[in-house]
Amino acid sequence: NQPLWHERDISHSSAERVILPDATILLDYMLAKVTGLVGGLVVRPERMRENIERGYGLHASSRVLLALVETAGLSREDAYAIVQRNALRAADERVPLRSLLATDPAVAVRLPLADLDACFDDAVGLRHVPEVIARLDTLEREVADRAAR
């Protein structure tokens, strides 16, 4: 919808007449789909852990890269080369990335094992879960209160 400088004819409002109803219909459809998805969601933590382990720790490669740069003092390019080499090897040989990095001389002399282990600690990604759940609980109560009025 491109407005004219001084005037606007009916052809320019056609986008608004189409896009707003279409957007609300799409939103309704998306909400119905998400409601169905979440309503039927079955969470299996053991399968989630299994799927994460199938990745051989490759999900932690970016944290290792940052640790090599920030803690070990490597340049980003050198750290990237080390992590990439080991990540490709882990995927090809189907071995854990952490064990390859722990035995890589370029990593072993620069990054203590405790720091390397911290890169693979999945609890870091879950540290805000209680706060998020509390916010969702508050939101759910607010929605229920509004519906009750």
Side-chain angles (χ1 to χ4, degrees):
N1 189 17
Q2 188 172 17
L4 299 175
W5 179 322
H6 292 297
E7 58 189 48
R8 181 175 141 130
D9 63 26
I10 194 157
S11 67
H12 289 84
S13 66
S14 62
E16 291 143 2
R17 289 193 311 271
V18 172
I19 208 165
L20 293 175
D22 282 359
T24 56
I25 290 168
L26 177 61
L27 178 61
D28 177 67
Y29 174 77
M30 290 168 52
L31 287 171
K33 284 293 189 182
V34 168
T35 301
L37 175 72
V38 172
L41 185 65
V42 176
V43 177
R44 295 189 176 106
E46 68 282 354
R47 292 285 292 151
M48 292 168 69
R49 172 59 46 203
E50 194 177 303
N51 286 331
I52 290 170
E53 289 171 1
R54 283 184 191 171
Y56 305 109
L58 295 174
H59 67 281
S61 61
S62 61
R63 286 187 289 211
V64 174
L65 174 71
L66 289 176
L68 288 171
V69 171
E70 294 172 358
T71 304
L74 289 174
S75 71
R76 189 164 186 84
E77 293 77 20
D78 291 343
Y80 184 87
I82 292 168
V83 172
Q84 183 184 43
R85 179 181 69 243
N86 284 286
L88 291 172
R89 187 172 161 212
D92 288 344
E93 298 176 13
R94 298 177 183 258
V95 295
L97 176 60
R98 191 228 166 267
S99 63
L100 292 177
L101 290 167
T103 58
D104 186 319
V107 176
V109 297
R110 293 179 176 91
L111 196 64
L113 278 178
D115 290 347
L116 182 61
D117 288 338
C119 295
F120 289 87
D121 182 7
D122 293 332
V124 171
L126 303 174
R127 68 185 178 273
H128 297 295
V129 168
E131 177 186 338
V132 170
I133 297 298
R135 289 168 58 190
L136 286 171
D137 288 342
T138 300
L139 181 62
E140 183 180 27
R141 280 191 301 275
E142 290 172 359
V143 168
D145 289 346
R146 274 184 276 189
R149 293 182 209 163

Coordinates of all heavy atoms in Angstrom, one line a residue, residues 22-101:
D22 N -7.5 -11.0 6.3 CA -6.7 -12.2 6.1 C -5.8 -12.4 7.3 O -5.5 -13.6 7.7 CB -5.8 -12.0 4.8 CG -6.7 -12.3 3.5 OD1 -7.9 -12.6 3.7 OD2 -6.1 -12.2 2.4
A23 N -5.2 -11.4 7.8 CA -4.3 -11.5 9.0 C -5.0 -12.1 10.2 O -4.5 -12.9 10.9 CB -3.6 -10.2 9.3
T24 N -6.2 -11.6 10.4 CA -7.0 -12.1 11.6 C -7.4 -13.5 11.4 O -7.4 -14.3 12.3 CB -8.2 -11.2 11.9 OG1 -9.0 -11.1 10.7 CG2 -7.8 -9.8 12.3
I25 N -7.8 -13.9 10.1 CA -8.1 -15.3 9.8 C -6.9 -16.2 10.0 O -7.0 -17.3 10.6 CB -8.7 -15.4 8.4 CG1 -10.1 -14.8 8.3 CG2 -8.8 -16.9 8.0 CD1 -10.6 -14.6 6.9
L26 N -5.8 -15.7 9.6 CA -4.5 -16.5 9.7 C -4.2 -16.6 11.2 O -3.8 -17.7 11.7 CB -3.4 -15.8 9.0 CG -2.0 -16.5 9.1 CD1 -2.0 -17.9 8.6 CD2 -0.9 -15.6 8.4
L27 N -4.3 -15.6 12.0 CA -4.1 -15.6 13.4 C -5.0 -16.7 14.1 O -4.5 -17.4 14.9 CB -4.2 -14.3 14.1 CG -4.0 -14.2 15.6 CD1 -2.6 -14.6 15.9 CD2 -4.3 -12.8 16.1
D28 N -6.3 -16.6 13.8 CA -7.2 -17.6 14.3 C -6.8 -19.0 14.0 O -6.8 -19.9 14.9 CB -8.6 -17.3 13.8 CG -9.6 -18.3 14.3 OD1 -9.9 -18.3 15.5 OD2 -10.1 -19.1 13.5
Y29 N -6.4 -19.3 12.8 CA -5.9 -20.6 12.3 C -4.7 -21.0 13.1 O -4.6 -22.1 13.6 CB -5.7 -20.6 10.8 CG -5.0 -21.8 10.3 CD1 -5.8 -23.0 10.1 CD2 -3.7 -21.9 10.0 CE1 -5.3 -24.2 9.6 CE2 -3.1 -23.1 9.6 CZ -3.9 -24.2 9.4 OH -3.3 -25.4 8.9
M30 N -3.7 -20.1 13.3 CA -2.5 -20.4 14.0 C -2.8 -20.7 15.4 O -2.2 -21.6 16.0 CB -1.5 -19.3 13.8 CG -1.0 -19.1 12.4 SD -0.1 -17.6 12.1 CE 1.1 -17.5 13.4
L31 N -3.7 -19.9 16.1 CA -4.0 -20.2 17.5 C -4.7 -21.6 17.6 O -4.4 -22.3 18.6 CB -4.9 -19.1 18.0 CG -4.2 -17.7 18.2 CD1 -5.2 -16.7 18.6 CD2 -3.2 -17.9 19.3
A32 N -5.6 -21.9 16.7 CA -6.2 -23.2 16.8 C -5.2 -24.3 16.6 O -5.2 -25.3 17.4 CB -7.3 -23.3 15.7
K33 N -4.3 -24.2 15.7 CA -3.2 -25.2 15.5 C -2.3 -25.3 16.7 O -2.0 -26.4 17.2 CB -2.4 -24.9 14.3 CG -3.0 -25.2 13.0 CD -3.2 -26.7 12.8 CE -3.7 -27.0 11.5 NZ -3.9 -28.5 11.4
V34 N -1.9 -24.2 17.3 CA -1.0 -24.3 18.5 C -1.8 -24.8 19.7 O -1.2 -25.6 20.4 CB -0.4 -22.9 18.8 CG1 0.2 -22.8 20.1 CG2 0.5 -22.4 17.7
T35 N -3.0 -24.5 19.8 CA -3.8 -25.0 20.9 C -3.9 -26.5 20.8 O -3.8 -27.3 21.8 CB -5.2 -24.4 20.9 OG1 -5.1 -23.0 21.1 CG2 -6.1 -24.9 22.1
G36 N -4.2 -27.0 19.6 CA -4.2 -28.5 19.4 C -2.9 -29.1 19.6 O -2.8 -30.2 20.2
L37 N -1.8 -28.5 19.2 CA -0.5 -29.1 19.4 C -0.1 -29.1 20.9 O 0.3 -30.2 21.4 CB 0.6 -28.2 18.7 CG 2.0 -28.6 18.9 CD1 2.3 -29.9 18.1 CD2 2.9 -27.4 18.4
V38 N -0.3 -28.0 21.6 CA 0.0 -28.0 23.0 C -0.9 -28.9 23.8 O -0.5 -29.6 24.8 CB 0.0 -26.6 23.5 CG1 0.2 -26.5 25.0 CG2 1.1 -25.8 22.9
G39 N -2.2 -28.9 23.4 CA -3.1 -29.8 24.2 C -2.8 -31.2 24.1 O -3.1 -32.0 25.0
G40 N -2.3 -31.7 23.0 CA -1.9 -33.1 22.8 C -0.5 -33.4 23.0 O 0.0 -34.5 22.7
L41 N 0.3 -32.5 23.5 CA 1.7 -32.6 23.7 C 2.0 -33.7 24.7 O 1.5 -33.6 25.8 CB 2.4 -31.3 24.0 CG 3.9 -31.3 24.1 CD1 4.5 -31.5 22.7 CD2 4.3 -29.9 24.6
V42 N 2.9 -34.6 24.4 CA 3.4 -35.6 25.3 C 4.9 -35.4 25.4 O 5.6 -35.4 24.4 CB 3.1 -37.0 24.9 CG1 3.7 -38.0 25.8 CG2 1.6 -37.2 24.7
V43 N 5.4 -35.1 26.6 CA 6.8 -34.9 26.9 C 7.4 -36.1 27.5 O 7.0 -36.6 28.5 CB 7.0 -33.7 27.8 CG1 8.5 -33.5 28.1 CG2 6.4 -32.4 27.2
R44 N 8.4 -36.6 26.8 CA 9.1 -37.8 27.3 C 10.6 -37.4 27.5 O 11.4 -37.4 26.6 CB 9.0 -38.9 26.2 CG 7.6 -39.4 26.1 CD 7.6 -40.7 25.2 NE 6.3 -41.2 25.1 CZ 5.5 -41.1 24.0 NH1 5.9 -40.5 23.0 NH2 4.3 -41.5 24.1
P45 N 10.9 -37.0 28.7 CA 12.3 -36.6 29.0 C 13.4 -37.6 28.6 O 14.5 -37.2 28.2 CB 12.3 -36.3 30.6 CG 10.8 -36.2 30.9 CD 10.1 -37.0 29.9
E46 N 13.1 -38.8 28.8 CA 14.1 -39.8 28.5 C 14.4 -39.9 27.0 O 15.6 -40.0 26.6 CB 13.7 -41.2 29.0 CG 12.5 -41.9 28.3 CD 11.2 -41.3 28.7 OE1 11.1 -40.5 29.6 OE2 10.2 -41.7 28.1
R47 N 13.4 -39.6 26.2 CA 13.6 -39.6 24.7 C 14.3 -38.3 24.3 O 15.1 -38.3 23.4 CB 12.3 -39.7 24.0 CG 11.6 -41.0 24.1 CD 12.3 -42.1 23.2 NE 12.1 -41.7 21.8 CZ 12.9 -42.1 20.8 NH1 14.0 -42.8 21.1 NH2 12.7 -41.7 19.6
M48 N 14.0 -37.2 25.0 CA 14.7 -35.9 24.8 C 16.2 -36.1 25.1 O 17.0 -35.7 24.3 CB 14.1 -34.8 25.7 CG 12.7 -34.5 25.3 SD 11.8 -33.4 26.5 CE 12.7 -31.9 26.3
R49 N 16.5 -36.7 26.2 CA 17.9 -36.9 26.5 C 18.6 -37.8 25.5 O 19.7 -37.6 25.1 CB 18.0 -37.6 27.9 CG 19.4 -38.0 28.4 CD 20.5 -37.0 28.4 NE 20.2 -35.8 29.1 CZ 20.8 -34.6 28.8 NH1 21.8 -34.6 28.0 NH2 20.5 -33.5 29.4
E50 N 17.9 -38.8 25.1 CA 18.4 -39.8 24.0 C 18.7 -39.0 22.7 O 19.8 -39.2 22.1 CB 17.4 -40.8 23.8 CG 17.9 -42.0 23.0 CD 16.8 -43.1 22.9 OE1 16.3 -43.5 24.0 OE2 16.4 -43.5 21.8
N51 N 17.8 -38.1 22.3 CA 18.0 -37.4 21.1 C 19.2 -36.4 21.2 O 19.9 -36.2 20.3 CB 16.7 -36.6 20.7 CG 15.7 -37.6 20.2 OD1 16.0 -38.6 19.6 ND2 14.4 -37.3 20.4
I52 N 19.3 -35.8 22.4 CA 20.5 -34.9 22.6 C 21.8 -35.6 22.5 O 22.7 -35.2 21.9 CB 20.3 -34.2 24.0 CG1 19.2 -33.2 23.9 CG2 21.6 -33.5 24.4 CD1 18.8 -32.6 25.3
E53 N 21.8 -36.8 23.1 CA 23.0 -37.6 23.1 C 23.4 -38.1 21.7 O 24.6 -38.4 21.4 CB 22.9 -38.8 24.1 CG 23.0 -38.3 25.5 CD 22.6 -39.4 26.5 OE1 22.4 -40.6 26.1 OE2 22.6 -39.1 27.7
R54 N 22.4 -38.3 20.8 CA 22.7 -38.7 19.5 C 23.5 -37.6 18.7 O 24.0 -37.9 17.6 CB 21.4 -38.9 18.7 CG 20.7 -40.2 19.0 CD 19.5 -40.4 18.2 NE 18.7 -41.5 18.7 CZ 17.5 -41.8 18.2 NH1 16.9 -41.0 17.3 NH2 16.9 -42.8 18.7
G55 N 23.5 -36.4 19.2 CA 24.2 -35.3 18.6 C 25.7 -35.3 19.0 O 26.4 -34.4 18.5
Y56 N 26.2 -36.2 19.8 CA 27.6 -36.3 20.2 C 28.1 -35.1 20.8 O 29.4 -34.8 20.7 CB 28.4 -36.8 19.0 CG 27.9 -38.1 18.4 CD1 27.3 -38.0 17.1 CD2 28.0 -39.3 19.1 CE1 26.9 -39.2 16.6 CE2 27.5 -40.4 18.5 CZ 27.0 -40.4 17.2 OH 26.5 -41.6 16.7
G57 N 27.3 -34.2 21.4 CA 27.8 -33.0 22.0 C 28.0 -31.9 21.1 O 28.6 -30.8 21.5
L58 N 27.6 -32.0 19.8 CA 27.9 -30.9 18.9 C 27.1 -29.7 19.2 O 27.6 -28.6 18.8 CB 27.5 -31.4 17.5 CG 28.4 -32.6 16.9 CD1 27.8 -33.0 15.6 CD2 29.8 -32.1 16.8
H59 N 26.1 -29.8 20.0 CA 25.3 -28.6 20.4 C 26.1 -27.7 21.3 O 25.8 -26.5 21.4 CB 24.0 -29.0 21.1 CG 24.2 -29.7 22.4 ND1 24.6 -31.0 22.5 CD2 24.2 -29.2 23.7 CE1 24.8 -31.3 23.8 NE2 24.5 -30.2 24.5
A60 N 27.2 -28.2 21.9 CA 28.0 -27.3 22.8 C 29.2 -26.7 22.0 O 30.0 -26.0 22.7 CB 28.5 -28.2 23.9
S61 N 29.3 -26.9 20.7 CA 30.4 -26.4 20.0 C 30.6 -24.9 20.1 O 31.7 -24.4 20.2 CB 30.4 -26.9 18.6 OG 29.3 -26.4 17.9
S62 N 29.5 -24.2 20.1 CA 29.6 -22.7 20.2 C 30.1 -22.3 21.5 O 30.9 -21.3 21.7 CB 28.3 -22.0 19.9 OG 27.3 -22.4 20.8
R63 N 29.7 -23.0 22.6 CA 30.2 -22.6 23.9 C 31.7 -22.9 24.1 O 32.4 -22.2 24.7 CB 29.4 -23.4 25.0 CG 28.0 -22.8 25.2 CD 27.3 -23.4 26.4 NE 27.0 -24.8 26.0 CZ 25.9 -25.5 26.4 NH1 25.1 -24.9 27.3 NH2 25.7 -26.7 26.0
V64 N 32.1 -24.0 23.4 CA 33.6 -24.3 23.4 C 34.3 -23.3 22.7 O 35.4 -22.8 23.1 CB 33.8 -25.7 22.8 CG1 35.3 -26.0 22.7 CG2 33.2 -26.8 23.6
L65 N 33.8 -22.8 21.5 CA 34.4 -21.8 20.8 C 34.6 -20.5 21.6 O 35.7 -19.9 21.7 CB 33.6 -21.5 19.5 CG 34.1 -20.3 18.7 CD1 35.3 -20.6 18.0 CD2 33.0 -19.9 17.7
L66 N 33.6 -20.1 22.3 CA 33.6 -18.9 23.2 C 34.6 -19.1 24.3 O 35.4 -18.2 24.7 CB 32.3 -18.6 23.8 CG 31.3 -18.0 22.8 CD1 29.9 -17.8 23.4 CD2 31.8 -16.7 22.2
A67 N 34.7 -20.3 24.9 CA 35.6 -20.6 26.0 C 37.1 -20.5 25.5 O 37.9 -20.0 26.2 CB 35.4 -22.0 26.6
L68 N 37.3 -21.0 24.3 CA 38.7 -21.0 23.7 C 39.1 -19.5 23.4 O 40.2 -19.2 23.6 CB 38.7 -21.8 22.4 CG 38.7 -23.3 22.6 CD1 38.6 -24.0 21.3 CD2 40.0 -23.8 23.4
V69 N 38.1 -18.7 23.1 CA 38.4 -17.3 22.8 C 38.6 -16.5 24.1 O 39.6 -15.8 24.3 CB 37.4 -16.6 21.9 CG1 37.5 -15.1 21.8 CG2 37.4 -17.3 20.5
E70 N 37.6 -16.6 25.0 CA 37.5 -15.8 26.2 C 38.4 -16.3 27.3 O 39.1 -15.5 28.0 CB 36.1 -15.7 26.7 CG 35.2 -15.0 25.7 CD 33.7 -15.1 26.1 OE1 33.4 -15.7 27.2 OE2 32.9 -14.5 25.4
T71 N 38.5 -17.6 27.5 CA 39.3 -18.2 28.6 C 40.7 -18.5 28.2 O 41.7 -18.2 28.8 CB 38.6 -19.4 29.2 OG1 37.3 -19.1 29.6 CG2 39.4 -20.0 30.4
A72 N 40.8 -19.1 27.0 CA 42.2 -19.6 26.5 C 42.9 -18.5 25.8 O 44.1 -18.7 25.5 CB 42.0 -20.8 25.7
G73 N 42.2 -17.5 25.4 CA 42.9 -16.4 24.7 C 43.2 -16.6 23.2 O 44.1 -15.9 22.7
L74 N 42.6 -17.6 22.6 CA 42.9 -17.8 21.2 C 42.1 -16.8 20.3 O 41.1 -16.2 20.8 CB 42.4 -19.2 20.8 CG 43.2 -20.4 21.3 CD1 42.5 -21.7 21.0 CD2 44.6 -20.4 20.8
S75 N 42.6 -16.6 19.1 CA 41.8 -15.8 18.2 C 40.6 -16.6 17.8 O 40.5 -17.8 17.9 CB 42.7 -15.5 17.0 OG 42.8 -16.6 16.2
R76 N 39.6 -15.8 17.4 CA 38.3 -16.5 17.0 C 38.6 -17.5 15.8 O 38.0 -18.5 15.7 CB 37.3 -15.4 16.6 CG 35.9 -16.0 16.4 CD 34.9 -14.9 16.4 NE 33.5 -15.5 16.3 CZ 32.9 -15.9 17.3 NH1 33.4 -15.9 18.6 NH2 31.7 -16.4 17.2
E77 N 39.4 -17.1 14.9 CA 39.7 -17.9 13.7 C 40.4 -19.2 14.2 O 40.1 -20.3 13.7 CB 40.6 -17.2 12.7 CG 39.9 -16.0 12.0 CD 39.8 -14.8 12.9 OE1 40.6 -14.6 13.9 OE2 39.0 -13.9 12.6
D78 N 41.4 -19.1 15.1 CA 42.1 -20.3 15.5 C 41.1 -21.2 16.3 O 41.1 -22.5 16.2 CB 43.3 -20.0 16.4 CG 44.4 -19.3 15.6 OD1 44.4 -19.5 14.3 OD2 45.3 -18.7 16.2
A79 N 40.3 -20.6 17.2 CA 39.4 -21.4 18.0 C 38.4 -22.1 17.1 O 38.0 -23.3 17.3 CB 38.7 -20.5 19.0
Y80 N 37.9 -21.4 16.1 CA 36.9 -21.9 15.1 C 37.5 -23.1 14.4 O 36.9 -24.2 14.2 CB 36.5 -20.9 14.1 CG 35.4 -21.3 13.2 CD1 34.1 -21.2 13.5 CD2 35.8 -21.9 11.9 CE1 33.1 -21.6 12.6 CE2 34.8 -22.3 11.1 CZ 33.4 -22.2 11.4 OH 32.5 -22.7 10.6
A81 N 38.8 -23.0 14.0 CA 39.4 -24.1 13.3 C 39.5 -25.4 14.1 O 39.3 -26.5 13.7 CB 40.8 -23.7 12.8
I82 N 39.9 -25.2 15.4 CA 40.0 -26.3 16.3 C 38.6 -26.9 16.6 O 38.5 -28.2 16.5 CB 40.6 -25.8 17.7 CG1 42.0 -25.4 17.5 CG2 40.4 -26.9 18.8 CD1 42.6 -24.7 18.7
V83 N 37.6 -26.1 16.8 CA 36.3 -26.7 17.1 C 35.7 -27.3 15.9 O 35.2 -28.4 15.9 CB 35.3 -25.6 17.6 CG1 33.9 -26.1 17.7 CG2 35.8 -25.1 19.0
Q84 N 35.9 -26.7 14.7 CA 35.4 -27.3 13.5 C 36.0 -28.6 13.2 O 35.3 -29.6 12.8 CB 35.6 -26.3 12.3 CG 35.0 -26.8 11.0 CD 35.3 -25.9 9.8 OE1 36.4 -25.4 9.7 NE2 34.2 -25.7 9.0
R85 N 37.3 -28.7 13.3 CA 38.0 -29.9 13.0 C 37.5 -31.1 13.9 O 37.2 -32.2 13.4 CB 39.5 -29.7 13.3 CG 40.4 -30.9 13.0 CD 41.9 -30.7 13.3 NE 42.1 -30.5 14.7 CZ 42.6 -29.4 15.2 NH1 42.9 -28.4 14.4 NH2 42.9 -29.3 16.5
N86 N 37.4 -30.8 15.2 CA 36.9 -31.8 16.1 C 35.4 -32.1 15.9 O 35.0 -33.3 16.1 CB 37.2 -31.4 17.6 CG 38.7 -31.5 17.9 OD1 39.1 -32.7 18.1 ND2 39.4 -30.5 18.0
A87 N 34.6 -31.1 15.6 CA 33.2 -31.4 15.4 C 33.0 -32.3 14.2 O 32.1 -33.2 14.2 CB 32.5 -30.1 15.3
L88 N 33.7 -32.0 13.1 CA 33.5 -32.8 11.9 C 34.0 -34.2 12.2 O 33.4 -35.2 11.8 CB 34.4 -32.2 10.8 CG 33.8 -30.9 10.2 CD1 34.8 -30.3 9.2 CD2 32.4 -31.1 9.6
R89 N 35.1 -34.4 13.0 CA 35.5 -35.7 13.3 C 34.5 -36.4 14.2 O 34.3 -37.6 14.0 CB 36.9 -35.6 14.0 CG 37.5 -36.9 14.3 CD 39.0 -36.7 14.8 NE 39.3 -38.0 15.4 CZ 40.2 -38.1 16.4 NH1 40.7 -37.0 16.9 NH2 40.4 -39.3 17.0
A90 N 34.0 -35.7 15.2 CA 33.0 -36.3 16.1 C 31.8 -36.8 15.2 O 31.3 -37.9 15.5 CB 32.5 -35.3 17.1
A91 N 31.3 -36.0 14.3 CA 30.2 -36.5 13.5 C 30.5 -37.6 12.6 O 29.8 -38.6 12.4 CB 29.7 -35.3 12.7
D92 N 31.7 -37.6 12.0 CA 32.1 -38.6 11.1 C 32.4 -40.0 11.8 O 32.0 -41.0 11.3 CB 33.4 -38.2 10.3 CG 33.2 -37.2 9.3 OD1 32.0 -36.9 8.9 OD2 34.2 -36.5 8.8
E93 N 33.1 -39.9 12.9 CA 33.4 -41.1 13.7 C 32.4 -41.5 14.7 O 32.5 -42.5 15.3 CB 34.8 -40.9 14.3 CG 35.9 -40.6 13.4 CD 37.2 -40.3 14.0 OE1 37.4 -40.6 15.2 OE2 38.2 -39.9 13.3
R94 N 31.4 -40.7 14.9 CA 30.3 -40.9 15.9 C 30.9 -41.1 17.3 O 30.5 -42.1 17.9 CB 29.5 -42.1 15.4 CG 28.7 -41.9 14.1 CD 28.0 -43.1 13.7 NE 27.4 -42.9 12.4 CZ 26.1 -42.5 12.2 NH1 25.3 -42.4 13.2 NH2 25.6 -42.4 11.0
V95 N 31.7 -40.2 17.7 CA 32.2 -40.2 19.0 C 31.9 -38.8 19.7 O 31.7 -37.8 19.0 CB 33.8 -40.4 19.0 CG1 34.1 -41.8 18.5 CG2 34.5 -39.4 18.2
P96 N 31.9 -38.8 21.0 CA 31.5 -37.5 21.7 C 32.6 -36.4 21.4 O 33.8 -36.7 21.5 CB 31.5 -37.9 23.2 CG 31.3 -39.4 23.2 CD 32.0 -39.9 21.9
L97 N 32.1 -35.3 21.1 CA 33.0 -34.1 20.8 C 33.8 -33.8 22.1 O 35.0 -33.5 21.9 CB 32.1 -32.9 20.5 CG 32.8 -31.6 20.3 CD1 33.9 -31.7 19.1 CD2 31.9 -30.4 20.0
R98 N 33.2 -33.9 23.3 CA 34.0 -33.6 24.5 C 35.2 -34.4 24.6 O 36.3 -33.9 25.0 CB 33.1 -33.8 25.7 CG 33.7 -33.2 27.0 CD 33.6 -34.2 28.1 NE 34.4 -33.9 29.2 CZ 35.7 -34.3 29.4 NH1 36.2 -35.1 28.5 NH2 36.4 -33.9 30.4
S99 N 35.1 -35.7 24.3 CA 36.3 -36.6 24.5 C 37.4 -36.2 23.4 O 38.6 -36.3 23.7 CB 35.9 -38.1 24.4 OG 35.4 -38.4 23.1
L100 N 37.0 -35.9 22.2 CA 38.0 -35.4 21.2 C 38.7 -34.1 21.7 O 39.9 -34.0 21.5 CB 37.3 -35.2 19.9 CG 36.8 -36.5 19.2 CD1 36.1 -36.1 17.9 CD2 37.9 -37.5 18.9
L101 N 37.9 -33.2 22.2 CA 38.5 -31.9 22.6 C 39.4 -32.1 23.8 O 40.4 -31.4 23.9 CB 37.4 -30.9 22.9 CG 36.6 -30.4 21.7 CD1 35.3 -29.7 22.2 CD2 37.4 -29.5 20.9

